[in-house]
Amino acid sequence: MRITDTSDVWWKSAVVYCLDIETYYDKDGDGIGDLAGLAERIDYLAELGVSCLWLMPFYPSPDRDDGYDITDFYGVDPRLGNHGQLVEVIRTAHDRGINVIADLVINHTSDRHPWFKAARRSVDNPFRDYYVWRDTTPPDTSKQVVFPDKEDSIWELDDKTGQWYLHHFYKHQPDLNLANPAVVEEILRTVGFWLELGFDGFRVDGIPFLEQTLKNVGDPEALVDPHDVMREIRGFLNRRAGHAMMLGEVNLPHEQQLDFFGGGAGDELQMQFDFIAMQATYLSLAREDPAPLVKALQERPATHPTCQWATFLRNHDELTLDKLSDEERQEVFAAFGPEPEMQLFGRGLKRRVPTMMGGDPRRIRLAYSLLFSLPGTPTLYYGEEIGMGEDLAAEGRMAVRTPMQWTSGANGGFSAAPPRKLVQRVVPDGYGPAHVNVADQRRDPDSLWNFVRTLIGSYRMCPELGWGRFSVVDQPHAAVLAHRCDLDDVATVVVHNLGSDPVVVDLPVDGSDEAHDLVDLFSLEEVVPVDGRVEVSLDGYGFRWFRLRPEGGMHLP
Ligand code: NOJ
């Protein structure tokens, strides 16, 4: 039995879909998306071909950071529903072959969490050590804050006790002290609780800050290696559920990411987002030159075979370009978000893919073809499958967190509530529901939705894209990226034209001793190579996917 033929390591070839329950589908008509609504949309996700659903935080929260400020790690925000309805969602998803993962926030709590409320009562409160405190006036830490529009220090003075507490994010999100074994125990109990309820793993929030936080723990005796903490959580996770997976948000250079995979042992996070390749993708698209993307992919360190990179184009935050040089970032800004109101924190963009691509369907499809054919596990952010736009008038990152657009009707079919009661307004104007919605696109065979569905189907039929060996195929055109992923005796060979001029690529499609058949993965027609090569004509921003498999084999396709 080959590991690639089983679903034991399901995340190696999954299609992940992220959504926020409150903006997905409002069943009870109060203007806020809910779990009962999501349960009714699981078949939609199954039809699209999603195999892993990532739920953004659904916990009780004052909602000052869109739910990432949590007051009860075991709770369900009553605005969304209750534990029973969550179980129905998980149960239905499992029935349709979809794993479900939850956002796990272990770096901080809300300042209204009972632990923090207790901790700030006095310096000798038993919960004091759940957080990180200092006695002396902090130095200038304005360069370390994550949200420079709102914060200028990572330390906040607690008036009552006269000490400063650490917070890398907003001041209402005090950082937890993971050097305290009692806090790690709390996290393990939380993990155990949600696994028992049926979750298949977690998207783990803000990992780089755990390291920073641990460095700030005053007592040098208490210095703890974040990798020890990660290994402990991973060990616990898989003792409780062998198939469970952690997908880490680790926006760090690749070498440091390798450490968070657990290096050669692969005993920390099973998955991490590839922020480096994501940012390089935009630079390549802006320059119409695949070189930055190729460099990022070739510099990816080799990981333990059970570990995996999550590829993505957008998420719920700003499109961060923090790992590019200042000049490179300016190039991407100039191409995809030249106006100040499109930019955020000086490092990113508050736009979605279609608007960044100027609404050009060729470029939008090119971007998604890359997403689904680059080595790794593709991750979609809700609404990408229909090409939703953003609401630039919304504050900061909320621009890309607008309600899902189901129909061309009132509120885009998201909710029957009056518009003023909606959790957030629906995108107005050109990208609004009249132009962009699921119902119309499901009916139209040429829609983006049907295209994304085809990409998902092709990705799932070609496990080599998740499991295989990546290589760049030599060809002479500067604007063209030709690459292949090989696994055993099959390979997917993909060619993308990042430039606007049509090209004819003389593409080598061989490389092994055995005779191979070649099929075009979109038309599903056989292609006959001549001397191991095919001539591929590509329009501006065009692309083709091929699959090579042993001659006369029984492969589909
Ligand atoms: C990263 C999340 O993606 C972001 O939305 C959030 O604000 C911070 N972590 C703090 O939890």
Side-chain angles (χ1 to χ4, degrees):
M1 186 170 60
R2 298 182 317 171
I3 195 170
T4 50
D5 292 341
T6 72
S7 60
D8 291 358
V9 191
W10 56 269
W11 54 89
K12 285 286 283 193
S13 51
V15 175
V16 182
Y17 187 99
C18 167
L19 63 84
D20 193 359
I21 297 157
E22 71 173 10
T23 49
Y24 209 56
Y25 180 49
D26 170 22
K27 174 105 190 270
D28 65 7
D30 65 353
I32 304 168
D34 43 46
L35 284 158
L38 173 57
E40 288 194 4
R41 291 295 187 254
I42 297 294
D43 280 317
Y44 165 78
L45 297 171
E47 186 187 18
L48 187 58
V50 167
S51 62
C52 174
L53 175 59
W54 153 23
L55 299 182
M56 285 173 60
F58 48 75
Y59 312 100
S61 162
D63 224 9
R64 297 175 70 195
D65 182 15
D66 210 16
Y68 283 94
D69 48 331
I70 298 169
T71 53
D72 176 4
F73 284 157
Y74 299 104
V76 172
D77 182 342
R79 297 176 318 137
L80 309 179
N82 56 40
H83 286 91
Q85 289 165 325
L86 181 55
V87 166
E88 293 306 305
V89 164
I90 298 172
R91 152 89 193 151
T92 310
H94 284 169
D95 181 63
R96 312 301 197 262
I98 299 175
N99 284 316
V100 189
I101 63 174
D103 235 300
L104 182 72
V105 183
I106 61 178
N107 180 70
H108 51 269
T109 65
S110 159
D111 62 353
R112 298 191 212 164
H113 193 291
W115 297 340
F116 192 68
K117 288 208 226 161
R120 70 197 312 184
R121 266 184 218 126
S122 72
V123 291
D124 48 17
N125 187 281
F127 286 97
R128 189 76 173 177
D129 278 348
Y130 271 42
Y131 297 89
V132 182
W133 302 89
R134 64 179 291 145
D135 288 324
T136 51
T137 311
D140 176 11
T141 54
S142 55
K143 294 270 180 309
Q144 294 179 53
V145 303
V146 179
F147 302 124
D149 57 331
K150 295 278 179 343
E151 307 294 345
D152 56 14
S153 169
I154 60 170
W155 295 99
E156 183 67 14
L157 180 64
D158 179 51
D159 287 332
K160 182 164 175 217
T161 55
Q163 288 187 327
W164 284 261
Y165 65 85
L166 186 67
H167 63 88
H168 279 93
F169 297 99
Y170 297 111
K171 60 170 74 67
H172 59 76
Q173 287 166 316
D175 285 351
L176 283 164
N177 176 11
L178 290 163
N180 179 352
V183 173
V184 176
E185 249 180 62
E186 298 275 9
I187 288 166
L188 298 184
R189 259 195 296 278
T190 308
V191 165
F193 176 81
W194 294 112
L195 288 178
E196 209 65 32
L197 210 83
F199 277 99
D200 304 287
F202 302 91
R203 177 266 188 190
V204 191
D205 186 66
I207 303 237
F209 302 97
L210 307 182
E211 190 153 18
Q212 298 307 319
T213 302
L214 286 165
K215 279 192 196 140
N216 276 302
V217 174
D219 174 5
E221 292 294 302
L223 264 188
V224 166
D225 182 347
H227 297 288
D228 289 340
V229 176
M230 251 326 132
R231 258 192 304 276
E232 191 172 352
I233 300 175
R234 166 69 184 276
F236 177 87
L237 177 91
N238 286 151
R239 279 200 303 282
R240 290 294 171 93
H243 78 294
M245 176 277 286
M246 289 192 292
L247 162 57
E249 186 208 19
V250 191
N251 182 7
L252 289 175
H254 276 153
E255 284 309 317
Q256 281 165 267
Q257 288 196 272
L258 181 60
D259 295 340
F260 277 106
F261 278 124
D267 56 359
E268 297 186 33
L269 297 161
Q270 290 101 325
M271 287 188 82
Q272 294 179 50
F273 294 106
D274 191 343
F275 280 90
I276 305 291
M278 181 278 285
Q279 301 185 34
T281 303
Y282 284 98
L283 186 59
S284 278
L285 290 170
R287 288 185 180 169
E288 306 200 346
D289 173 2
L293 176 56
V294 166
K295 182 166 179 281
L297 292 171
Q298 288 179 334
E299 285 177 2
R300 264 184 186 176
T303 60
H304 187 275
T306 58
C307 293
Q308 178 64 304
W309 300 96
T311 47
F312 69 111
L313 290 172
R314 280 308 274 121
N315 63 18
H316 60 286
D317 289 325
E318 79 281 6
L319 189 183
T320 183
L321 301 166
D322 65 340
K323 297 290 183 285
L324 300 182
S325 70
D326 291 346
E327 295 75 44
E328 291 167 341
R329 188 176 317 110
Q330 290 311 322
E331 278 180 66
V332 178
F333 280 174
F336 300 135
E339 304 302 328
E341 71 264 24
M342 299 167 177
Q343 300 167 9
L344 204 56
F345 310 136
R347 63 171 183 249
L349 290 167
K350 46 187 278 194
R351 306 187 85 191
R352 282 181 178 254
V353 171
T355 54
M356 289 192 280
M357 299 300 133
D360 183 342
R362 299 171 307 165
R363 300 183 83 186
I364 297 166
R365 287 172 191 228
L366 172 76
Y368 286 104
S369 172
L370 280 170
L371 174 65
F372 282 92
S373 63
L374 294 178
T377 290
T379 304
L380 279 175
Y381 180 53
Y382 79 94
E384 288 197 276
E385 70 274 29
I386 51 170
M388 272 170 57
E390 66 281 346
D391 180 2
L392 282 182
E395 139 111 273
R397 295 172 293 158
M398 300 311 284
V400 296
R401 300 176 181 180
T402 59
M404 179 68 178
Q405 297 171 192
W406 295 104
T407 70
S408 58
N411 300 328
F414 158 69
S415 167
R420 68 186 154 74
K421 290 190 78 182
L422 297 192
V423 63
Q424 204 185 323
R425 79 167 177 172
V426 176
V427 167
D429 311 326
Y431 285 88
H435 310 279
V436 177
N437 69 73
V438 171
D440 290 350
Q441 293 197 24
R442 277 183 72 242
R443 255 180 250 127
D444 173 3
D446 298 322
S447 66
L448 182 64
W449 187 85
N450 267 301
F451 173 68
V452 170
R453 186 166 176 246
T454 302
L455 290 176
I456 291 176
S458 302
Y459 174 85
R460 292 185 61 170
M461 292 288 277
C462 301
E464 59 272 22
L465 291 170
W467 283 94
R469 198 167 14 90
F470 167 79
S471 58
V472 174
V473 179
D474 255 359
Q475 53 73 44
H477 303 277
V480 170
L481 170 62
H483 73 274
R484 58 187 282 166
C485 294
D486 283 77
L487 180 70
D488 300 330
D489 53 4
V490 290
T492 302
V493 184
V494 187
V495 53
H496 288 95
N497 178 11
L498 273 54
S500 54
D501 294 331
V503 287
V504 179
V505 185
D506 179 25
L507 189 71
V509 283
D510 218 351
S512 100
D513 303 337
E514 282 176 60
H516 278 70
D517 287 337
L518 188 69
V519 67
D520 178 313
L521 278 168
F522 295 129
S523 69
L524 297 182
E525 275 168 18
E526 293 287 335
V527 178
V528 183
V530 178
D531 296 331
R533 309 182 83 85
V534 279
E535 232 181 46
V536 185
S537 300
L538 296 174
D539 292 338
Y541 308 119
F543 48 84
R544 298 270 292 277
W545 292 30
F546 301 97
R547 195 167 200 227
L548 264 175
R549 62 263 151 81
E551 197 173 50
M554 301 295 284
H555 287 85
L556 264 185

